[in-house]
Amino acid sequence: MAIAVARIDERLVHGQIAYSWSVAYQVDTIIVVDDICAKDQMQKMLIGMAVPKGKTGYVFSVDETIQYFKSEKDLHQKIFLVAKGPEAYLKLVEGGVAVKSINVGGMYFKEGKKQLSKTVYVDDEDIRTFRKLQEQGVECEIRTAPSDKSLDLYHLC
């Protein structure tokens, strides 16, 4: 299996993910990586309903995602990973999942966060986590839609 897109988007699976990103990258499977959603049957059902027809959707915890990638399942699938923040990706990388780059599309305003772009706000903890990802060789770009110009997140924070 190959990771076609790894994205940070606090909204997880929504119209832009389902019908813009997944089509642009021709993915077969969308995996939501979120420890809280993975334990919540209602959220899992709602996210499953948002996955486009013809594509497979999973809602996994970080540990389940690591185990999925270590398994020999779905070897020919193009995978779309989506998580709410950089912490999940750092744990995946530390767990041996080969995440080469992350698209950051939606980290929204909260008290104490600074704006990097129209849709991306970070705090000191986010920046520390992104720097650890950078040390692991993971590229991070900011791009809302597939046709948008890519901005190097590391140059902005």
Side-chain angles (χ1 to χ4, degrees), residues 4-33 46-59 78-85 89 102-108 119 141 143-148:
V5 183
R7 180 174 170 88
I8 293 174
D9 194 319
E10 290 181 2
R11 297 180 294 166
L12 297 173
V13 180
H14 54 87
Q16 193 175 66
I17 299 290
Y19 297 103
S20 184
W21 285 94
S22 72
V23 171
Y25 285 87
Q26 296 295 302
V27 299
D28 306 297
T29 301
I30 297 173
I31 299 175
V32 170
V33 184
L46 293 171
I47 290 169
M49 293 169 62
V51 172
K53 189 174 184 177
K55 300 191 186 309
T56 303
Y58 298 113
V59 179
K78 290 177 71 177
I79 307 293
F80 187 141
L81 293 176
V82 61
K84 289 182 178 177
Y89 285 108
I102 299 170
N103 164 262
V104 183
M107 296 177 66
Y108 301 108
T119 60
E141 65 159 1
R143 196 161 42 124
T144 303
S147 60
D148 289 348

Side-chain angles (χ1 to χ4, degrees), residues 22-132:
S22 72
V23 171
Y25 285 87
Q26 296 295 302
V27 299
D28 306 297
T29 301
I30 297 173
I31 299 175
V32 170
V33 184
D34 189 275
D35 289 344
I36 294 171
C37 288
K39 295 177 186 172
D40 185 327
Q41 292 304 314
M42 179 63 81
Q43 286 197 46
K44 287 173 87 169
M45 181 187 72
L46 293 171
I47 290 169
M49 293 169 62
V51 172
K53 189 174 184 177
K55 300 191 186 309
T56 303
Y58 298 113
V59 179
F60 289 155
S61 68
V62 169
D63 289 340
E64 290 168 332
T65 305
I66 292 168
Q67 292 308 311
Y68 177 80
F69 278 93
K70 287 182 178 176
S71 75
E72 302 269 325
K73 292 180 183 175
D74 303 330
L75 289 176
H76 304 291
Q77 298 291 300
K78 290 177 71 177
I79 307 293
F80 187 141
L81 293 176
V82 61
K84 289 182 178 177
E87 314 80 32
Y89 285 108
L90 182 59
K91 290 176 183 175
L92 292 178
V93 169
E94 291 173 344
V97 177
V99 178
K100 303 285 184 216
S101 65
I102 299 170
N103 164 262
V104 183
M107 296 177 66
Y108 301 108
F109 176 79
K110 292 182 184 114
E111 191 68 36
K113 292 197 173 205
K114 73 175 187 178
Q115 186 174 18
L116 297 184
S117 74
K118 193 166 88 177
T119 60
V120 176
Y121 294 79
V122 295
D123 60 20
D124 291 342
E125 184 61 33
D126 295 326
I127 292 170
R128 277 191 292 275
T129 305
F130 279 120
R131 292 294 176 207
K132 289 177 184 175

